[in-house]
Amino acid sequence: MTTTDEDERTRNASTKTNPDIYDEDGVVRSDFLTEVNDAIERGDTPFLQQNVVRLHESELGDLLESLPADQRLALVQLLGDDFDMTALTQVDDAIRMEIVDQLPNDQIAAGIGELDSDDAVYILEDLDQEDRDEILSQLPFTERVRLRRALDYPESSAGRRMQTEFVAVPPFWTVGQTIDYMREEEGLPEAFTQIFVIDPTFKLLGSVDLDRILRAKRQTKVESIMRETSHPIPAVMDQEEAAQVFEQYDLLSAAVVDENDRLVGVLTIDDVVDVIHEEADEDIKRLGGVGDEELSDNITSTVRSRFVWLAVNLITAILASSIIDVFDGAIEKMVALAVLMPIVASMGGNAGTQTMTVTVRALATGDLDIYNAFRVIRREAGVGFLNGILFAIIMGAIATFWFHDFQLGIVIGAAMIINLVAAALGGILLPLVLHRFGADPAIASSAFVTTVTDCTGYFSFLGLATWWFSIHLGR
Amino acid sequence: MTTTDEDERTRNASTKTNPDIYDEDGVVRSDFLTEVNDAIERGDTPFLQQNVVRLHESELGDLLESLPADQRLALVQLLGDDFDMTALTQVDDAIRMEIVDQLPNDQIAAGIGELDSDDAVYILEDLDQEDRDEILSQLPFTERVRLRRALDYPESSAGRRMQTEFVAVPPFWTVGQTIDYMREEEGLPEAFTQIFVIDPTFKLLGSVDLDRILRAKRQTKVESIMRETSHPIPAVMDQEEAAQVFEQYDLLSAAVVDENDRLVGVLTIDDVVDVIHEEADEDIKRLGGVGDEELSDNITSTVRSRFVWLAVNLITAILASSIIDVFDGAIEKMVALAVLMPIVASMGGNAGTQTMTVTVRALATGDLDIYNAFRVIRREAGVGFLNGILFAIIMGAIATFWFHDFQLGIVIGAAMIINLVAAALGGILLPLVLHRFGADPAIASSAFVTTVTDCTGYFSFLGLATWWFSIHLGR
């Protein structure tokens, strides 16, 4: 152990992330970036080979993202065959597309040949048919067949995300035979945590985790230690559903099977972690009214994607304003109504968003179902009513003092209660209804909920005021 | 292989989730629930032992959540020692607390003794000191010491989430010795994917994945196949940071080390998946203005947690309204201003939320840093300006026709441009500033951003209108 000191350093070094590259905030260090920049500009391949090639794929991905756009391709080309294409799976879609589009197809083919099949598919699936075919045609036969099969499965399916390399043995083999096979065989996957047991037609019989193999005696038959219920994933299953199976049963990897229960690949937890991230990302962005936007998108595509949402909002805002328009006479007589009405609408909007957020999230995680829906609806209505009363008192008092008008305080208080109850009901019922009809509640709920609260807010406040003051005061 | 038919059934059965329990929507089947209900009511322990004990921990957790509150404890007590306490780690916090609070401490101690240390800690950490000590005192010495050590680490740290059971061998052992040790040793963890290499003082030297052991010859020395840079996680590291290390380096498990680099436990990917979920959940809920609320919380605690956020919103809404109040003279003369002003504010609020969502998300995932901040700020301002122009034209035309007033169309158009640019800048700068000062941008951004857009919207529209009409028309 003469290398202990150096090990020590390397090990501590990587405790958080590699300090050769990252500063304390986890951002690529600017001096490192400048060095790479300069090296790219003077075409210093040896420097890059020494300092960039050794990076982990995710570190290389971060480096690519930090470089100016025109230097990314230059770096990839300077590195040539030494560039690890896995890094392309670690960058923004837009940056990947930009690099891949400009690389010659034969360089992509050479790079992709080195990758695990799931990473190769990840890069290939975004290319247009023509480029994809050209690249595939330059790959060895088995590789090509495997990738084509994965690409034939629908987008976002388990078949697209799976790795087609796996270890499979017959059930009658012993643990000893299996270990000897693994010691001899050259073409094993780069890393694996379980092996699969199949019959001669590749039908999946079960799986054995590696630790079970290591604990068993050499003469033990594989079939006697295999787990039969290994939660195989149909290749056509949506990746999101597959992720839920992984989560529910704490899987590290799972067999992917075709429609005849034949083993075609293996889905691993690292891909599932990516899926979980993507799904959470999607939910957050949809709630915020931005579609599948990425940070690297350009101005035009961003304007276009946000325009739709803002246009929907414009329609709902005009709808709410047309309610105000109905009461223009009341406002003319009493401008305080115009001053106070946005408060009622805004409180409703926020309360509705709160309820909606909880509901959308609970629907996404499967926590909300028929057994607790009624209880949750009752609770939300109760919360809306109680908070309505609290804010009715607070805002009633404020309005009374502000405009020296006790009756105005009563009117705004009553409107507040009505709107917070409406917000609670809208916030839970709209996502539930959208979900029931198969729509994604995250995408449309916030527009609908604020429409409900804006309209209810203006109508209840202005309507109550008109009625109260005309009846009670004859103003 | 005489059991093939049955295997077949079991395997297909569990493809999505177990259809003995779940219906097609993934909800616990109502007939199964009724059976369990009835069995609990007539105290039919044999039925429960036959139908409930065999469930996977997560299925049992779902069953517990679906049962009426008063039957949950009854089920746990009827099952007695056969109840798998791991299921308690799979239910809502509130439901876990409710069950654990009512169970006698010695029953908890008996159940916890069976668990992996990370699950035991998960249940113990929410108990009050007194109960916790009493339960710990009933556990065997080594078990107790291990759990206490994990509990001594700060909340949400890697030390709390780690499993204290692991396999560690000295560097000079051969692969053969290691395999023989695993075949003989009884006290191995339930499942593991790598073993660790340590010196006599438990200092971590490296790790070996099981597949590398299986591929190596028996006489190979462990130190020659171990990976030295195994990204050890300091026990005090926050779980969120630890999750980032896992994600960056696609780890399945990682050594957890104390301040002296001694191996104290292992963190596994399934815990990390939970952390990723928690963090995404937290972000979504904070953006929606609900704290760490859960679906099972009762009315009072929900009212309390949401009240704070609504109170903050009330203050900002009043601030915006006081701007309207400044222009009450203009509104009195021209009620159309009161009708149209919420549209300007609402469009700004939505555009600001869009930008904020992208920004908060990009900060959370580390995609936004000093290298692209200026580019992103420029892009957002550009997007705000372009969408501002588009909606200025649309809304200007609508206002012109609505109120037969071309000049009103010009004023609302100009205000729209101003507010959408303000929304873009507020949406990106506020989260960046909050992040810079160490605050969580998700928690406060949405209140601040809508304050900016409401105030800018009202001020720009009403201010421009006052100026324009008094100057140009002398109205």
Side-chain angles (χ1 to χ4, degrees):
Chain A
M1 298 306 293
T2 51
T3 53
T4 309
D5 271 352
E6 205 185 287
D7 298 348
E8 203 54 43
R9 205 189 51 78
T10 329
R11 197 142 42 71
N12 282 332
S14 55
T15 291
K16 160 97 216 267
T17 32
N18 191 340
D20 293 348
I21 320 167
Y22 298 106
D23 63 17
E24 319 82 68
D25 294 336
V27 173
V28 179
R29 279 176 43 193
S30 56
D31 49 349
F32 178 66
L33 204 57
T34 315
E35 281 172 23
V36 174
N37 256 325
D38 293 347
I40 293 174
E41 268 167 24
R42 61 174 192 271
D44 187 350
T45 311
F47 176 91
L48 296 173
Q49 269 167 340
Q50 203 188 331
N51 293 285
V52 174
V53 172
R54 65 178 171 79
L55 296 182
H56 184 270
E57 58 203 51
S58 66
E59 296 167 345
L60 181 51
D62 284 341
L63 174 63
L64 279 175
E65 290 192 338
S66 304
L67 283 172
D70 55 317
Q71 292 209 336
R72 288 176 197 138
L73 184 70
L75 174 63
V76 175
Q77 290 185 315
L78 282 172
L79 288 178
D81 288 350
D82 288 332
F83 175 73
D84 176 5
M85 288 234 176
T86 323
L88 292 180
T89 65
Q90 309 279 326
V91 300
D92 254 21
D93 288 352
I95 293 178
R96 182 174 60 255
M97 294 297 288
E98 172 197 301
I99 296 175
V100 172
D101 277 349
Q102 295 178 78
L103 275 183
N105 281 341
D106 52 336
Q107 195 180 341
I108 301 180
I112 269 184
E114 309 275 304
L115 300 186
D116 280 342
S117 64
D118 52 344
D119 291 329
V121 167
Y122 194 84
I123 294 174
L124 284 173
E125 65 182 359
D126 288 335
L127 295 178
D128 52 43
Q129 192 63 43
E130 202 184 319
D131 285 331
R132 194 196 285 178
D133 287 341
E134 195 183 324
I135 293 167
L136 282 172
S137 71
Q138 298 181 32
L139 294 176
F141 177 73
T142 40
E143 186 80 11
R144 182 164 71 231
V145 171
R146 283 177 164 188
L147 292 180
R148 264 201 212 288
R149 183 160 58 178
L151 285 163
D152 277 344
Y153 288 113
E155 224 178 301
S156 304
S157 66
R160 281 283 180 97
R161 293 281 82 79
M162 72 187 180
Q163 210 172 303
T164 52
E165 300 90 2
F166 49 78
V167 182
V169 301
F172 50 81
W173 275 23
T174 62
V175 164
Q177 271 179 297
T178 307
I179 295 183
D180 291 342
Y181 162 75
M182 286 191 270
R183 284 195 183 133
E184 302 305 328
E185 175 68 32
E186 299 283 313
L188 294 182
E190 233 191 307
F192 56 99
T193 59
Q194 63 178 353
I195 63 171
F196 299 102
V197 185
I198 53 172
D199 76 4
T201 66
F202 261 73
K203 223 173 181 136
L204 181 69
L205 302 174
S207 69
V208 192
D209 290 336
L210 295 191
D211 59 332
R212 293 203 72 178
I213 295 183
L214 282 167
R215 285 190 246 198
K217 305 259 177 262
R218 275 186 71 86
Q219 61 275 24
T220 313
K221 279 236 167 27
V222 163
E223 64 186 320
S224 71
I225 54 169
M226 77 180 185
R227 239 179 327 132
E228 280 147 9
T229 313
S230 55
H231 304 287
I233 309 273
V236 293
M237 182 185 266
D238 186 77
Q239 57 178 7
E240 195 174 347
E241 259 181 85
Q244 281 168 359
V245 177
F246 266 73
E247 282 181 75
Q248 172 148 32
Y249 299 106
D250 283 343
L251 307 179
L252 291 178
S253 62
V256 179
V257 293
D258 67 10
E259 61 283 6
N260 300 316
D261 268 348
R262 289 195 177 79
L263 182 63
V264 290
V266 51
L267 196 63
T268 52
I269 183 82
D270 56 314
D271 295 317
V272 169
V273 167
D274 291 342
V275 171
I276 294 174
H277 260 284
E278 279 174 36
E279 301 299 337
D281 219 59
E282 207 176 85
D283 268 4
I284 293 181
K285 288 187 174 162
R286 286 180 174 178
L287 280 171
V290 278
D292 295 329
E293 199 178 284
E294 295 209 46
L295 212 61
S296 53
D297 288 354
N298 61 27
I299 290 198
T300 1
S301 73
T302 311
V303 167
R304 206 177 305 135
S305 87
R306 295 200 195 161
F307 180 86
V308 180
W309 182 250
L310 290 175
V312 171
N313 179 62
L314 183 65
I315 296 170
T316 69
I318 290 175
L319 185 69
S321 280
S322 65
I323 291 180
I324 303 176
D325 200 21
V326 172
F327 297 100
D328 59 348
I331 292 173
E332 207 160 7
K333 285 192 211 121
M334 198 171 176
V335 181
L337 296 180
V339 175
L340 292 174
M341 66 183 186
I343 297 177
V344 181
S346 156
M347 291 297 283
N350 273 273
T353 303
Q354 288 180 328
T355 304
M356 180 196 72
T357 304
V358 175
T359 309
V360 166
R361 199 57 202 152
L363 284 170
T365 55
D367 285 342
L368 187 62
D369 52 44
I370 47 164
Y371 297 112
N372 54 11
F374 283 102
R375 193 177 60 75
V376 176
I377 292 172
R378 253 202 331 268
R379 185 195 68 166
E380 287 300 328
V383 170
F385 185 68
L386 284 179
N387 265 331
I389 289 181
L390 292 174
F391 284 102
I393 296 169
I394 296 171
M395 194 55 222
I398 293 174
T400 304
F401 282 103
W402 191 347
F403 295 96
H404 312 290
D405 188 336
F406 177 64
Q407 311 216 23
L408 191 58
I410 293 199
V411 169
I412 198 170
M416 193 72 93
I417 296 175
I418 293 172
N419 206 21
L420 290 203
V421 172
L425 294 178
I428 189 160
L429 294 178
L430 283 170
L432 277 177
V433 168
L434 287 168
H435 180 75
R436 186 75 196 78
F437 288 102
D440 178 354
I443 206 161
S445 291
S446 47
F448 289 146
V449 170
T450 47
T451 309
V452 168
T453 54
D454 277 354
C455 293
T456 311
Y458 293 133
F459 187 79
S460 62
F461 179 57
L462 297 175
L464 275 177
T466 307
W467 170 77
W468 179 277
F469 290 116
S470 68
I471 301 269
H472 290 259
L473 295 177
R475 285 194 200 173
Chain B
M1 299 306 296
T2 52
T3 52
T4 310
D5 272 352
E6 207 185 286
D7 298 349
E8 202 55 44
R9 204 189 53 76
T10 328
R11 198 144 40 74
N12 282 330
S14 54
T15 290
K16 158 98 216 268
T17 32
N18 192 340
D20 294 347
I21 319 168
Y22 298 105
D23 64 17
E24 319 83 67
D25 295 335
V27 173
V28 180
R29 278 176 43 193
S30 57
D31 50 348
F32 177 66
L33 204 60
T34 316
E35 280 173 23
V36 173
N37 255 326
D38 293 348
I40 293 173
E41 267 166 25
R42 59 174 194 271
D44 188 348
T45 311
F47 176 91
L48 296 173
Q49 268 166 341
Q50 204 189 330
N51 293 285
V52 174
V53 172
R54 65 177 171 79
L55 297 182
H56 184 270
E57 59 203 49
S58 67
E59 296 167 344
L60 182 50
D62 284 341
L63 174 63
L64 279 175
E65 290 193 339
S66 304
L67 284 172
D70 54 315
Q71 293 210 338
R72 290 177 195 138
L73 185 70
L75 174 63
V76 175
Q77 289 184 315
L78 282 171
L79 289 178
D81 288 350
D82 288 332
F83 175 73
D84 176 5
M85 287 233 176
T86 323
L88 292 180
T89 64
Q90 308 280 326
V91 299
D92 255 20
D93 287 352
I95 293 178
R96 181 174 61 256
M97 294 298 289
E98 172 197 301
I99 296 175
V100 172
D101 277 350
Q102 295 177 77
L103 276 182
N105 280 342
D106 51 337
Q107 194 179 340
I108 300 179
I112 269 183
E114 309 275 305
L115 300 186
D116 280 342
S117 63
D118 52 343
D119 292 329
V121 167
Y122 194 84
I123 293 174
L124 284 174
E125 65 182 358
D126 287 335
L127 296 178
D128 51 42
Q129 192 64 44
E130 202 183 319
D131 286 331
R132 196 196 283 179
D133 287 342
E134 196 183 322
I135 292 167
L136 282 173
S137 71
Q138 297 181 34
L139 294 176
F141 177 73
T142 41
E143 186 82 10
R144 181 164 72 232
V145 171
R146 285 176 162 189
L147 292 179
R148 263 202 213 287
R149 182 160 57 178
L151 285 163
D152 276 346
Y153 288 113
E155 223 178 302
S156 304
S157 67
R160 280 283 181 97
R161 291 282 83 79
M162 73 186 179
Q163 210 172 303
T164 53
E165 301 89 2
F166 49 78
V167 182
V169 300
F172 50 81
W173 275 23
T174 62
V175 163
Q177 270 178 297
T178 308
I179 296 184
D180 292 343
Y181 163 75
M182 285 191 270
R183 285 198 183 129
E184 302 305 328
E185 175 67 32
E186 299 282 314
L188 294 183
E190 232 188 24
F192 55 99
T193 58
Q194 63 177 354
I195 62 171
F196 300 102
V197 186
I198 52 172
D199 76 3
T201 66
F202 261 73
K203 223 170 182 141
L204 180 69
L205 303 175
S207 69
V208 192
D209 290 336
L210 295 192
D211 60 323
R212 294 202 71 178
I213 295 182
L214 282 167
R215 284 190 248 198
K217 307 255 177 267
R218 276 187 71 87
Q219 61 275 25
T220 314
K221 278 236 165 36
V222 163
E223 61 185 323
S224 71
I225 54 168
M226 78 181 184
R227 240 181 325 134
E228 281 148 9
T229 314
S230 55
H231 305 286
I233 309 274
V236 293
M237 182 185 266
D238 186 78
Q239 56 179 6
E240 195 174 348
E241 259 181 85
Q244 281 168 0
V245 177
F246 267 73
E247 283 182 74
Q248 173 147 32
Y249 299 105
D250 283 344
L251 306 179
L252 291 177
S253 62
V256 179
V257 293
D258 68 9
E259 61 283 8
N260 300 315
D261 268 346
R262 287 196 179 77
L263 183 63
V264 290
V266 51
L267 195 63
T268 52
I269 183 81
D270 55 314
D271 295 317
V272 169
V273 167
D274 292 341
V275 171
I276 294 174
H277 259 284
E278 278 174 37
E279 301 299 337
D281 220 58
E282 208 176 84
D283 268 5
I284 293 181
K285 287 187 174 162
R286 286 180 174 179
L287 279 171
V290 279
D292 296 329
E293 200 179 282
E294 295 209 47
L295 213 61
S296 54
D297 287 355
N298 61 27
I299 289 198
T300 2
S301 72
T302 311
V303 167
R304 207 176 307 133
S305 87
R306 296 200 194 160
F307 180 86
V308 182
W309 181 252
L310 290 174
V312 171
N313 179 64
L314 184 64
I315 296 169
T316 70
I318 291 175
L319 185 67
S321 281
S322 64
I323 290 180
I324 303 176
D325 200 20
V326 172
F327 298 99
D328 59 347
I331 293 173
E332 205 160 8
K333 284 192 213 122
M334 197 171 176
V335 181
L337 296 180
V339 175
L340 292 174
M341 66 184 186
I343 296 177
V344 181
S346 154
M347 291 298 283
N350 274 273
T353 303
Q354 289 179 329
T355 304
M356 180 197 73
T357 304
V358 175
T359 310
V360 166
R361 198 58 202 152
L363 284 170
T365 55
D367 286 340
L368 187 63
D369 53 45
I370 45 164
Y371 297 113
N372 55 11
F374 284 103
R375 193 177 61 76
V376 176
I377 293 171
R378 252 200 333 268
R379 185 195 69 166
E380 287 301 327
V383 170
F385 184 69
L386 283 179
N387 265 331
I389 289 181
L390 292 174
F391 285 102
I393 295 170
I394 297 172
M395 194 55 222
I398 293 174
T400 304
F401 282 103
W402 191 347
F403 294 98
H404 311 290
D405 189 338
F406 177 62
Q407 311 215 22
L408 191 59
I410 293 201
V411 168
I412 198 169
M416 194 71 93
I417 296 174
I418 293 172
N419 205 21
L420 291 203
V421 173
L425 294 178
I428 189 160
L429 293 178
L430 283 169
L432 277 177
V433 168
L434 287 168
H435 180 74
R436 187 75 197 75
F437 288 101
D440 178 354
I443 207 162
S445 292
S446 48
F448 288 146
V449 170
T450 47
T451 309
V452 168
T453 55
D454 277 354
C455 293
T456 311
Y458 295 134
F459 186 78
S460 61
F461 179 57
L462 298 175
L464 275 177
T466 308
W467 171 77
W468 180 276
F469 291 116
S470 68
I471 300 267
H472 291 257
L473 297 177
R475 286 195 199 173

